[in-house]
Amino acid sequence: LACTKPLEGRGWDQKANEVRRKIRSVVTISAPHYGTCLADSWLASWAENRVISWTSPVPDALRLAWHLLRLVPEERHVVAQLQLAHPKDVVNFLRQVAFHRELIGNLRPSYMEGVRATHKAEPGVSLTCFVTGTPLRHDDERPSDSFFTDMYGLTKGDGQASPPVDRCRRLLEDLINTRSDLVIRSPHSQMPASIDATLNDGVVNTVRQIVKPDKAEEVGGFVVADHADVLGHYDRQDSLIEGSPYNAGLFHSGAGFRDDEFFRLYRRVAQAILKTIPGAQRVEEPEVDIVSIQPA
C-alpha cells in the first residue's frame, strides 16, 4: 500500500486509495525487504512442494527435527507453566501455512530484488527500518543452541549479494561504525565481527532488511537480537519474583535480549511514528540504560 503500484503491476482501486491516503508512516522490524536466503534453502523448497521435494537432504532434515525436539526437555520447566494454545488454533495455523505456501516464493531474494527494482515508494510516506541480526556464539557464557544454529545456517546463504544489497551492507556498516547510538544491544551480547551478507537473525538476512541504501535516515536502529526476540518471544524473568521464567523464547541465539532492549526498541518505534503526526506533542527524553526494576 505504500508503493505507487501493487505487486501485480495494475493500478490501485478506489477502496485501496482511500486507505493509502491515510498512510503517513511505515515502520518495519526484521522485514525481508530484499527477501531472505531462508526461502532458497532446502527447508523452504520442501515446505513449498512436499511431494516433489521428497529427496531433500534427509540427514539435514533429521538433524533439524532432532534439535527442535531437544528443546522440549530443555524447556520442560517453562512449558509446564505456559498456557498452551487451543488445539483448534494450532490446526488453523497449520492449515493457513499449507494454503499459503506461495508466500515462500515471494520471499526469495531474486523475486524481492525484482520487486524493489520496479516498485517505487509513495512520496510523502515516511519509512523507518529497524534491522536485526546476531552472530552465532560458541563461547561458554551464552552459546547459541542447536536449533538456532541450524536456522542461522539455512538463512545465511552463499554470501553473495546483488549491487543494491551490497550497498545496503555498506550503509549499515558505516552507520554502526559512526552512529553507536543506533545500536540496541544487551551488555551480554556480542557485536558481529563484520557486517556481511551472511549475517542474519535466524529468519532474515540483516542487510536485506533495509530498503534504500542511499537513505541513512530511514534506518531506525540496528538491534543485536534474533528474529523472535524483537517479537517478544524471549526468555522473560520477573526481577522481583524468584523462580522459573514465565515466558520462554523461541530461539536461544545468545544475544541476551531482555525487557530493557525490547522497551528501548519499541520506544524508538513510537518516536518514529510520532514524528509524522502533525501537532503531536512529544517530549524528547534521553534513553535510560535500565528500565527493569532489580531486586534489592
Side-chain angles (χ1 to χ4, degrees):
L1 290 174
C3 289
T4 55
K5 62 180 180 179
L7 291 179
E8 60 271 17
R10 299 190 300 271
W12 295 105
D13 58 30
Q14 181 179 354
K15 186 175 182 180
N17 279 326
E18 291 177 358
V19 176
R20 294 176 67 248
R21 282 193 291 268
K22 299 177 182 179
I23 299 176
R24 292 292 177 268
S25 66
V26 174
V27 178
T28 66
I29 304 174
S30 308
H33 293 298
Y34 280 94
T36 169
C37 292
L38 179 61
D40 278 337
S41 69
W42 64 262
L43 180 63
S45 298
W46 179 84
E48 190 175 23
N49 195 328
R50 298 189 301 271
V51 176
I52 296 177
S53 301
W54 64 272
T55 57
S56 62
V58 175
D60 291 339
L62 291 176
R63 185 179 66 251
L64 180 63
W66 168 244
H67 289 164
L68 182 58
L69 288 173
R70 282 179 57 188
L71 294 179
V72 176
E74 289 176 1
E75 303 297 336
R76 61 183 181 274
H77 64 287
V78 176
V79 174
Q81 301 181 46
L82 297 180
Q83 181 178 0
L84 300 179
H86 191 280
K88 182 179 178 181
D89 296 332
V90 176
V91 171
N92 286 336
F93 171 75
L94 295 176
R95 180 171 60 85
Q96 291 296 323
V97 172
F99 288 166
H100 295 283
R101 293 197 301 271
E102 70 278 1
L103 293 178
I104 295 175
N106 291 344
L107 291 176
R108 288 199 172 100
S110 58
Y111 176 80
M112 285 304 300
E113 288 175 16
V115 169
R116 287 294 160 206
T118 57
H119 286 67
K120 305 302 180 184
E122 185 68 36
V125 177
S126 171
L127 173 65
T128 305
C129 303
F130 288 91
V131 181
T132 57
T134 183
L136 282 179
R137 296 186 60 170
H138 305 287
D139 57 284
D140 295 332
E141 181 186 357
R142 290 180 179 272
S144 304
D145 70 6
S146 300
F147 181 55
F148 179 77
T149 300
D150 290 339
M151 294 301 297
Y152 191 97
L154 290 171
T155 304
K156 70 178 185 179
D158 59 8
Q160 301 299 312
S162 63
V165 174
D166 190 59
R167 290 199 298 271
C168 290
R169 180 197 64 78
R170 293 200 300 267
L171 170 62
L172 182 60
E173 185 177 52
D174 181 64
L175 288 174
I176 291 175
N177 290 333
T178 60
R179 293 281 309 279
S180 59
D181 59 301
L182 288 180
V183 178
I184 299 175
R185 58 180 290 233
S186 162
H188 302 290
S189 68
Q190 287 185 355
M191 284 292 291
S194 63
I195 304 299
D196 58 33
T198 65
L199 180 66
N200 65 82
D201 61 10
V203 176
V204 183
N205 305 83
T206 301
V207 298
R208 294 182 176 275
Q209 300 173 27
I210 297 173
V211 176
K212 300 174 185 176
D214 58 342
K215 295 281 188 179
E217 65 273 15
E218 290 185 352
V219 180
F222 171 61
V223 190
V224 181
D226 60 56
H227 198 82
D229 284 338
V230 295
L231 299 178
H233 295 288
Y234 54 89
D235 292 344
R236 297 196 69 190
Q237 171 66 57
D238 194 319
S239 58
L240 299 179
I241 302 176
E242 295 183 357
S244 302
Y246 59 85
N247 185 49
L250 175 61
F251 293 144
H252 293 89
S253 60
F257 191 90
R258 294 294 184 267
D259 282 352
D260 293 339
E261 293 72 44
F262 182 82
F263 290 118
R264 187 174 297 129
L265 167 62
Y266 281 91
R267 180 177 181 177
R268 291 194 189 179
V269 170
Q271 290 172 344
I273 296 173
L274 280 175
K275 289 179 181 178
T276 64
I277 301 176
Q281 298 295 322
R282 64 182 186 275
V283 178
E284 299 290 348
E285 299 177 352
E287 291 187 353
V288 294
D289 292 331
I290 301 296
V291 298
S292 59
I293 301 175
Q294 302 298 327

